[in-house]
């Protein structure tokens, strides 16, 4: 369970990273919309795990690797935005949020089960 401090910090990071990706995301991944879906932080606020969703991306693996390759640049730009709100800029770890894919997969399973249960 995250503390109130961690939750507040995560909201600040999520908001600022979202705005950063909205403005600068097209430079990293052309024609791809990057959404920050979830942010989790360690108790010492030193490491932030950022879960991203990519819309209109042909390959999520390539997209996340591109983001990871630019982590230092993203962290620097984030630091410029949050410098007055936090003591230190946390290390960033990026992950693909596959929640939508999981939901789609479960919907297909439930649809198949529903079709199998229908009387003929």
């Amino acid at each position: 369970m995250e503390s109130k401090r961690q939750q507040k910090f995560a909201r600040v990071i999520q908001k600022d990273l979202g705005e950063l990706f909205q403005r600068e995301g097209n430079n990293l991944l052309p024609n791809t919309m990057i959404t920050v879906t979830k942010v989790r932080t360690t108790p010492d606020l030193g490491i932030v795990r950022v879960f991203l969703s990519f819309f209109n991306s042909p390959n999520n693996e390539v997209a996340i690797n591109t983001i990871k390759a630019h982590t230092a640049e993203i962290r620097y730009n984030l630091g410029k935005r949050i410098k007055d709100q936090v003591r230190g800029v946390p290390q960033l770890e990026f992950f693909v949020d596959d929640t939508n894919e999981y939901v789609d997969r479960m919907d297909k399973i439930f649809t198949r089960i529903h079709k199998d249960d229908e009387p003929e």
Side-chain angles (χ1 to χ4, degrees):
M1 181 85 177
E2 289 185 326
S3 69
K4 294 281 186 198
R5 183 173 173 232
Q6 286 173 284
Q7 291 172 359
K8 184 177 179 182
F9 188 73
R11 281 193 301 270
V12 168
I13 299 295
Q14 184 171 4
K15 177 184 165 286
D16 287 328
L17 274 179
E19 291 173 3
L20 192 88
F21 283 130
Q22 189 175 15
R23 289 196 174 95
E24 307 293 328
N26 208 26
N27 296 337
L28 299 173
L29 296 167
N31 302 320
T32 301
M33 187 172 78
I34 305 167
T35 306
V36 180
T37 57
K38 199 175 354 177
V39 174
R40 297 286 180 248
T41 182
T42 57
D44 68 351
L45 308 179
I47 300 173
V48 173
R49 292 177 180 91
V50 181
F51 294 85
L52 302 174
S53 177
F54 301 98
F55 181 72
N56 201 24
S57 172
N59 186 344
N60 284 349
E61 195 65 34
V62 170
I64 196 69
N65 287 336
T66 302
I67 296 296
K68 286 179 179 179
H70 290 87
T71 299
E73 176 186 342
I74 295 167
R75 183 172 181 242
Y76 174 76
N77 290 331
L78 176 66
K80 288 195 302 189
R81 294 177 72 96
I82 65 172
K83 68 178 182 251
D84 298 330
Q85 300 171 25
V86 298
R87 282 189 183 160
V89 181
Q91 294 293 323
L92 302 175
E93 296 177 356
F94 293 103
F95 301 94
V96 174
D97 184 10
D98 58 357
T99 305
N100 288 339
E101 295 169 13
Y102 178 77
V103 169
D104 289 342
R105 193 168 55 239
M106 294 307 288
D107 280 344
K108 288 176 185 175
I109 290 171
F110 287 130
T111 303
R112 201 171 337 134
I113 290 171
H114 182 70
K115 286 180 182 177
D116 291 345
D117 287 346
E118 289 181 350
E120 294 180 23

